[in-house]
Amino acid sequence: MQSIADIFLFLLETYMRKKRTTIYDIAEKLNLTASCVSRALNNSNYVSEKTRALVLKTAAELNYKRNILATNLRNGHSKTIGIVVPRINQNFFSNIIAGIEEATYEKDYNLVICQSNEEHEKEVKCINTLINQQVDCIVISISADGHDYQHLKNVIDHGIQLIQFDRVVDELETLKVINDNEQASLEAVSHMIEQGYGRIALLEGPQHLSIFKQRKAGYLAALKKYNLPVIHELIVKNAWTKELGAKATRKLLSLSNPPDAVFASTSDFSALGVLEVATDIGFKVPEQLGICGYSNEAFTEITSPSITTIDQYSFFMGKTIANLYFEEMNIKEIAIQPKTISIKPNLIIRSSTSKKSTETK
Amino acid sequence: MQSIADIFLFLLETYMRKKRTTIYDIAEKLNLTASCVSRALNNSNYVSEKTRALVLKTAAELNYKRNILATNLRNGHSKTIGIVVPRINQNFFSNIIAGIEEATYEKDYNLVICQSNEEHEKEVKCINTLINQQVDCIVISISADGHDYQHLKNVIDHGIQLIQFDRVVDELETLKVINDNEQASLEAVSHMIEQGYGRIALLEGPQHLSIFKQRKAGYLAALKKYNLPVIHELIVKNAWTKELGAKATRKLLSLSNPPDAVFASTSDFSALGVLEVATDIGFKVPEQLGICGYSNEAFTEITSPSITTIDQYSFFMGKTIANLYFEEMNIKEIAIQPKTISIKPNLIIRSSTSKKSTETK
DNA sequence: TTGTATGCGTTATCAC
DNA sequence: GTGATAACGCATACAA
């Protein structure tokens, strides 16, 4: 009975579970101990060059691959950075990820990427998964529909470095990498005013997210700077998808005194909604209606007319995030100082706001 | 001397390394053993309901999070799927990822995502990292510039399930999920012919990748079906980025006998290049030049005119990939049977090929 | 320079 | 139903 099971197990071992070679296998072959092999593999100084060479050679022969699971368990970290974004298929976020990747690539860090789909519940689950995974750092731009940040506090309580970017929770004292949204919005709206637009509508995002508050502040600051009145019927709440932008535009353009420009502070997607509706209804862009979006999505360049927008240097931002982590990692302070890095975005002027110039391409 | 070090370590422990609670902490508090706690946490049947409830309650109180590293080390797998794609910020790939994510979400699988940036060397490194990470499965669409597939064989040798999708290596006997590229291309080109286009150019991709071979075969099949001649000067090699598509178009449109349509079999990006150049030069689309792309990128809907393209059901494809893995995972065969799932893509007819209909929106 | 012993946090397999 | 123990693969303090 026993022997049959043995034979079965032997077959299993042999044919199925191609067993990975471990440092013990190498040690055995070389009449060494595992610890010595381990040292050789880890560039320790306490191994003779001869032994090291031998170990390396044998490791290659046996197709040895270090078991990172064991290494990480032993070391208490995973050399992994978790990233939580609302959606990876938005230009801004995929560039952030690409930037982080470039900076972490040579340092042998892994990226685990999660999408929250803008759902708070999913975001919480992502965070928990990442904590379980023992990631060393969590990089997050929070989803729009959540007001409870217990899960983020939880990250900190687990001793995991937390870096917020773009959509950050102000109250939480963490590392932050953001754009200077207010300044950028001020510039964008100022530009529109200088182009001759006087009744500029604002599509605003959820005001519990500071980025949208800041963009609104920039809008208001520009009006104030040029002594223009704040017209409340031109400020539309929560117009931050293409559909909501389109809906808002239909309403705005049917006003008895419609706006002559729209600052879609929420995203280029809402700006696209504006453009489509305006074109449909017969409003000429930029002559009768100026449009400015936010984020420099790839499509803003190929619409007709092309859309003025704000580039957030997202790739650079990603690199900044990664480097910030590596810097802070080396600081052995008792308490990590919260720190905020602000990146100045860049206004890209295109056709959709070029009222003065005659060329409309 | 010893005591000073002790005190230092104590301080370290206390103030810095917020130690995670383990099953031992729970066991201690409840006067149980770790193994019993473990069982309670794992829905084992060999625990009294009372104990289980107690353990669960205490775990929550102590903010216990299971250490997946340890679990995985113990179990010999990581419940992780590695994905290697050329770029995550292309619609097709981000949808694939989203589809895989949806299917793996409830099964508590993690996704580790790598970009090869179309570079073979980077792809090899990604693969090695994923092998090190002990992923259970690697899902890959190979980069364009590689001809050596040793790294993929290495995956198989490590007993890791390998699933290829879209751009697959035919010779490698693995699980594959692909589109029926030939059929889709046949339909697309047939549609163009039926619209009245007679001199249809082909922008082809690297022919060592089977997907591009298949698309070319579909193009040729359509010509044959309608008894149209194959005109070699209308077939352009390696025109598979926007820039290369633009370059090819400039050349094509300056021929003494230029094409009246272009099938950009490589991607919508190359199709966009075609559209921009054609518009620049003054060729009317679709009246003088029909254009068909491939992949249904989001922007194809908002160009003017909108671009006819082929939707690959990428999201569904992602789900198919994940489900294929879960199915095969349960088969305990000695050798896994290679299997190919082919998904029929969908031709989306838009303005850029609508020569017959008068509405050009 | 090498070997010995121990632990990282979990889970499987016993025995009780 | 619960407890004791070993093992997953690796890395380090310590002894030799």
Side-chain angles (χ1 to χ4, degrees):
Chain A
M1 200 57 179
Q2 184 72 16
S3 61
I4 291 175
D6 276 354
I7 289 170
F8 179 67
L9 281 173
F10 173 77
L11 285 174
L12 255 182
E13 289 280 338
T14 313
Y15 290 103
M16 278 204 52
R17 210 192 301 159
K18 325 196 176 191
K19 263 183 74 74
R20 294 168 66 111
T21 86
T22 71
I23 50 174
Y24 285 93
D25 299 325
I26 300 175
E28 193 178 16
K29 186 153 181 184
L30 259 36
N31 273 324
L32 284 171
T33 17
S35 54
C36 196
V37 173
S38 172
R39 276 190 292 261
L41 256 21
N42 286 291
N43 295 318
S44 159
N45 292 322
Y46 304 99
V47 190
S48 70
E49 273 313 315
K50 204 178 116 200
T51 308
R52 186 200 310 284
L54 221 51
V55 167
L56 257 35
K57 181 161 156 284
T58 316
E61 280 171 14
L62 266 43
N63 198 9
Y64 168 79
K65 289 268 188 317
R66 156 199 263 118
N67 184 333
I68 303 253
L69 254 36
T71 304
N72 290 344
L73 176 60
R74 176 66 233 249
N75 292 338
H77 65 242
S78 61
K79 277 199 151 201
T80 297
I81 295 178
I83 306 181
V84 185
V85 293
R87 318 211 89 101
I88 66 169
N89 60 346
Q90 275 180 30
N91 227 334
F92 175 68
F93 292 117
S94 56
N95 281 330
I96 290 277
I97 294 169
I100 295 177
E101 212 235 359
E102 182 170 287
T104 52
Y105 179 57
E106 67 238 29
K107 302 222 183 200
D108 273 322
Y109 267 71
N110 267 109
L111 259 36
V112 175
I113 296 166
C114 309
Q115 289 189 91
S116 66
N117 292 338
E118 301 283 7
E119 296 159 26
H120 182 255
E121 195 195 345
K122 180 99 190 275
E123 180 177 302
V124 173
K125 165 131 193 224
C126 289
I127 290 286
N128 281 332
T129 307
L130 291 175
I131 294 176
N132 278 8
Q133 284 275 325
Q134 312 269 78
V135 297
D136 300 337
C137 171
I138 292 181
V139 175
I140 187 169
S141 190
I142 56 171
S143 72
D145 81 339
H147 300 244
D148 169 30
Y149 305 116
Q150 184 53 46
H151 60 305
L152 298 185
K153 291 193 190 117
N154 209 359
V155 171
I156 301 169
D157 288 346
H158 277 85
I160 296 172
Q161 179 66 272
L162 180 64
I163 303 184
Q164 299 189 76
F165 74 94
D166 197 47
R167 297 197 207 150
V168 302
V169 181
D170 280 336
E171 310 88 270
L172 239 47
E173 296 203 329
T174 70
L175 298 175
K176 291 171 192 154
V177 178
I178 55 170
N179 276 127
D180 191 340
N181 287 285
E182 184 168 342
Q183 174 63 24
S185 301
L186 170 64
E187 279 181 31
V189 177
S190 297
H191 153 72
M192 294 168 98
I193 295 172
E194 285 162 16
Q195 284 289 313
Y197 299 107
R199 291 180 62 82
I200 303 174
L202 171 73
L203 305 192
E204 67 175 42
Q207 293 292 303
H208 66 277
L209 293 179
S210 55
I211 56 161
F212 296 126
K213 260 199 305 215
Q214 291 158 10
R215 292 179 192 177
K216 184 176 186 177
Y219 164 82
L220 295 174
L223 295 187
K224 193 170 174 191
K225 186 173 148 200
Y226 287 87
N227 286 315
L228 289 178
V230 177
I231 304 166
H232 289 287
E233 65 174 356
L234 296 186
I235 298 180
V236 184
K237 288 195 194 308
N238 289 324
W240 69 307
T241 63
K242 187 178 150 189
E243 287 69 30
L244 291 172
K247 195 176 151 195
T249 308
R250 258 179 239 111
K251 207 164 170 183
L252 284 170
L253 296 186
S254 66
L255 289 175
S256 56
N257 199 355
D260 59 4
V262 179
F263 175 40
S265 81
T266 48
S267 74
D268 285 326
F269 292 98
S270 57
L272 180 61
V274 177
L275 176 59
E276 288 187 355
V277 168
T279 308
D280 255 22
I281 297 185
F283 270 70
K284 282 210 161 177
V285 178
E287 293 83 355
Q288 294 170 278
L289 190 75
I291 300 175
C292 177
Y294 212 110
S295 282
N296 196 18
E297 292 285 338
F299 66 78
T300 52
E301 218 176 346
I302 60 177
T303 49
S304 39
S306 57
I307 302 175
T308 294
T309 186
I310 290 160
D311 183 23
Q312 305 179 272
Y313 294 116
S314 42
F315 187 85
F316 174 74
M317 204 163 167
K319 289 181 73 170
T320 305
I321 292 168
N323 289 329
L324 179 60
Y325 170 67
F326 290 129
E327 276 167 32
E328 295 293 318
M329 199 180 62
N330 292 322
I331 301 177
K332 296 285 175 209
E333 303 269 326
I334 302 271
I336 285 173
Q337 295 298 317
K339 185 196 269 183
T340 299
I341 296 181
S342 182
I343 294 170
K344 195 183 162 310
N346 181 37
L347 177 65
I348 298 178
I349 298 172
R350 297 215 184 88
S351 307
S352 68
T353 56
S354 300
K355 199 181 188 179
K356 285 190 169 168
S357 54
T358 28
E359 36 89 29
T360 312
K361 165 75 220 245
Chain B
M1 200 60 177
Q2 183 73 16
S3 62
I4 289 175
D6 276 355
I7 289 169
F8 179 67
L9 282 173
F10 173 76
L11 285 174
L12 257 182
E13 288 280 340
T14 313
Y15 290 103
M16 279 203 52
R17 210 191 302 157
K18 326 197 176 192
K19 264 182 73 71
R20 294 168 64 113
T21 87
T22 71
I23 49 175
Y24 284 93
D25 299 326
I26 300 175
E28 194 178 14
K29 186 152 182 185
L30 259 36
N31 272 324
L32 285 171
T33 19
S35 48
C36 194
V37 172
S38 172
R39 277 191 292 261
L41 256 21
N42 286 289
N43 296 318
S44 160
N45 292 322
Y46 304 97
V47 190
S48 70
E49 273 314 314
K50 203 177 118 201
T51 309
R52 186 200 310 283
L54 221 51
V55 167
L56 257 35
K57 183 162 154 281
T58 315
E61 280 170 13
L62 267 44
N63 197 10
Y64 167 79
K65 290 271 187 315
R66 156 198 266 120
N67 184 332
I68 304 253
L69 254 35
T71 304
N72 290 345
L73 175 59
R74 181 64 236 252
N75 291 338
H77 65 242
S78 63
K79 278 199 151 200
T80 297
I81 295 177
I83 306 180
V84 185
V85 293
R87 318 210 88 101
I88 66 169
N89 60 346
Q90 276 180 28
N91 226 334
F92 175 68
F93 292 118
S94 55
N95 281 329
I96 291 279
I97 294 170
I100 295 177
E101 212 234 0
E102 182 170 287
T104 51
Y105 179 59
E106 67 239 29
K107 303 221 183 199
D108 274 321
Y109 267 71
N110 267 109
L111 259 37
V112 175
I113 297 166
C114 309
Q115 288 188 90
S116 66
N117 293 338
E118 300 284 7
E119 297 159 26
H120 183 255
E121 194 195 345
K122 179 99 190 275
E123 180 177 301
V124 173
K125 165 133 193 222
C126 289
I127 290 285
N128 281 332
T129 307
L130 291 175
I131 294 176
N132 277 7
Q133 284 276 323
Q134 313 266 77
V135 297
D136 300 336
C137 171
I138 292 181
V139 175
I140 187 169
S141 189
I142 56 171
S143 72
D145 81 339
H147 300 244
D148 169 29
Y149 304 117
Q150 184 52 47
H151 59 306
L152 297 185
K153 291 191 190 121
N154 209 0
V155 171
I156 301 169
D157 288 345
H158 276 85
I160 296 172
Q161 179 66 272
L162 180 64
I163 303 184
Q164 300 189 76
F165 74 94
D166 196 48
R167 296 198 207 150
V168 302
V169 181
D170 279 337
E171 310 90 88
L172 240 45
E173 297 204 328
T174 69
L175 297 175
K176 292 170 192 155
V177 178
I178 55 170
N179 276 127
D180 191 339
N181 287 285
E182 183 167 344
Q183 175 63 24
S185 302
L186 170 64
E187 278 180 31
V189 177
S190 297
H191 153 73
M192 293 168 97
I193 296 172
E194 284 162 16
Q195 284 289 313
Y197 298 107
R199 291 179 62 81
I200 303 173
L202 171 73
L203 306 192
E204 67 175 42
Q207 292 292 303
H208 66 277
L209 293 179
S210 55
I211 57 161
F212 295 126
K213 259 198 307 215
Q214 291 159 9
R215 292 179 192 177
K216 184 175 186 177
Y219 164 82
L220 295 174
L223 295 187
K224 192 169 176 192
K225 186 172 147 200
Y226 286 87
N227 286 314
L228 289 177
V230 177
I231 305 166
H232 289 286
E233 64 174 356
L234 296 187
I235 298 180
V236 184
K237 288 196 195 307
N238 289 324
W240 70 307
T241 61
K242 187 178 149 189
E243 288 69 30
L244 291 171
K247 195 176 151 195
T249 308
R250 258 179 240 112
K251 206 164 171 185
L252 285 170
L253 295 186
S254 66
L255 289 175
S256 56
N257 198 357
D260 58 5
V262 179
F263 175 41
S265 81
T266 47
S267 72
D268 286 325
F269 292 98
S270 56
L272 180 60
V274 177
L275 176 58
E276 288 186 356
V277 168
T279 308
D280 254 24
I281 297 184
F283 271 70
K284 282 210 163 181
V285 179
E287 293 81 355
Q288 294 171 278
L289 190 74
I291 301 174
C292 177
Y294 212 112
S295 283
N296 197 17
E297 293 285 338
F299 66 78
T300 52
E301 217 176 347
I302 61 178
T303 49
S304 39
S306 57
I307 301 175
T308 293
T309 186
I310 290 160
D311 183 22
Q312 303 178 272
Y313 295 116
S314 42
F315 188 85
F316 174 74
M317 204 165 167
K319 288 182 72 170
T320 305
I321 292 167
N323 289 329
L324 179 60
Y325 170 67
F326 290 129
E327 276 166 31
E328 294 294 317
M329 199 180 63
N330 292 322
I331 299 176
K332 296 282 176 211
E333 302 271 327
I334 302 269
I336 285 172
Q337 294 298 317
K339 184 195 270 184
T340 299
I341 296 181
S342 182
I343 294 170
K344 195 183 162 309
N346 182 36
L347 177 64
I348 298 178
I349 298 173
R350 297 215 182 88
S351 307
S352 68
T353 56
S354 300
K355 199 181 188 179
K356 285 190 168 168
S357 52
T358 28
E359 36 90 28
T360 312
K361 163 72 219 239

